[in-house]
């Protein structure tokens, strides 16, 4: 993990200096997890369009970013969330996943099954189950487990306290453990779930982003 983070940090810094190969490296590393997060906000149908808008903003604003791999993932997640909320307002719809933030007032209990769910989610193959959680839990789980943010960065992204994010993530993981272990619809485990689809349609590509980034740099 530390080695991967060091490589991503180096790639981000090189991309800030105009290295398009490095930007493609950043895109390949972050995009699958970022797309998973966007799907929890707007649903599968609109996720790729919102992710495209997110990467266009990342490309435009990259020179102003400062920080390492962890901060970059948090920064990218905040941009994605803002683009998703803009999309929801524009469409006049509520988020794809409902939730009640009053659930965050409780304290998490110890749970081995939640830890097992976290390990399983690290494979990136359980996003269809995450979609069955309340929104606050789904976002917390994706930011903490899929995006790899710490509680502080996830809280900054969501505009909440770190403790609230930890609680939501814990409850979401506990519920996922129940779905993984005992729900017939899950097919008996994570291996039965379909893999994430590659971007299609209007989805942005790393090549198109780097081209846009070169153009926007001239405009800045």
């Amino acid at each position: 993990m530390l080695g991967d983070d060091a490589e991503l940090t180096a790639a981000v810094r090189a991309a800030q200096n105009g290295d398009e190969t490095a930007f493609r490296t950043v895109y390949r590393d972050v995009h699958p997890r970022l797309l998973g997060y966007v799907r929890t906000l707007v649903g599968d149908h609109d996720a790729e369009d919102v992710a495209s808008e997110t990467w266009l903003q990342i490309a435009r604003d990259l020179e102003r970013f400062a920080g390492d791999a962890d901060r970059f993932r948090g920064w990218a997640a905040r941009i994605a969330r803002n683009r998703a909320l803009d999309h929801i307002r524009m469409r006049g719809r509520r988020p794809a996943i409902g939730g009640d933030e009053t659930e965050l007032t409780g304290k998490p209990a110890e749970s081995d099954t939640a830890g097992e769910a976290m390990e399983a989610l690290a494979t990136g193959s359980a996003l269809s189950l995450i979609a069955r959680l309340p929104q606050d839990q789904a976002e917390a789980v994706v930011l903490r487990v899929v995006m790899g943010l710490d509680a502080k960065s996830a809280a900054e992204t969501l505009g909440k306290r770190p403790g609230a994010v930890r609680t939501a993530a814990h409850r979401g993981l506990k519920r996922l453990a129940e779905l993984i272990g005992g729900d017939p619809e899950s097919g008996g485990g994570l291996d039965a779930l379909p893999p994430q689809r590659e971007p299609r349609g209007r989805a942005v590509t790393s090549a198109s982003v780097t081209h846009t980034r070169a153009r926007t740099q001239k405009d800045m």
Side-chain angles (χ1 to χ4, degrees):
M1 178 64 73
L2 291 177
D4 291 343
D5 278 359
E7 291 176 7
L8 178 57
T9 298
V12 168
R13 290 173 180 168
Q16 288 179 302
N17 292 324
D19 187 330
E20 294 189 0
T21 299
F23 191 90
R24 286 193 289 271
T25 297
V26 173
Y27 178 87
R28 286 194 298 267
D29 184 281
V30 177
H31 177 71
R33 290 176 286 184
L34 193 70
L35 180 61
Y37 176 45
V38 172
R39 279 175 171 155
T40 69
L41 295 170
V42 300
D44 189 72
H45 180 73
D46 295 328
E48 288 163 357
D49 283 346
V50 173
S52 296
E53 294 169 5
T54 298
W55 279 105
L56 290 173
Q57 182 173 344
I58 290 172
R60 187 184 68 236
D61 297 344
L62 184 59
E63 288 185 340
R64 294 197 288 272
F65 169 76
D68 59 9
D70 282 337
R71 291 188 64 83
F72 180 81
R73 282 189 285 261
W75 179 69
R78 286 192 293 277
I79 291 174
R81 191 171 199 269
N82 288 336
R83 296 287 68 76
L85 294 178
D86 287 346
H87 181 82
I88 290 166
R89 283 191 289 267
M90 182 179 68
R91 299 295 188 193
R93 296 183 310 201
R94 298 181 62 184
I97 303 170
D100 181 1
E101 293 186 6
T102 61
E103 292 182 359
L104 297 179
T105 57
K107 294 182 179 180
E110 294 297 327
S111 172
D112 292 335
T113 54
E116 292 169 3
M118 182 175 286
E119 286 186 14
L121 284 169
T123 66
S125 61
L127 289 174
S128 62
L129 288 180
I130 295 175
R132 297 163 68 176
L133 298 176
Q135 184 184 350
D136 63 292
Q137 294 179 15
E139 284 198 72
V141 167
V142 173
L143 288 174
R144 296 277 280 133
V145 182
V146 181
M147 287 294 295
L149 303 186
D150 59 23
K152 181 179 178 181
S153 296
E156 290 174 352
T157 299
L158 298 174
K160 300 180 183 294
R161 296 185 302 276
V165 173
R166 290 191 191 95
T167 300
H170 176 88
R171 291 183 173 181
L173 289 169
K174 184 175 181 180
R175 176 56 182 153
L176 284 172
E178 295 170 355
L179 292 173
I180 291 166
D183 192 331
E185 293 183 12
S186 70
L190 291 171
D191 293 337
L193 295 175
Q196 284 204 63
R197 294 179 292 106
E198 292 297 320
R200 70 190 192 304
R202 291 180 51 208
V204 70
T205 64
S206 58
S208 66
V209 170
T210 52
H211 176 74
T212 301
R213 181 168 181 264
R215 184 177 66 251
T216 55
Q217 284 179 344
K218 294 177 182 179
D219 298 335
M220 290 175 63

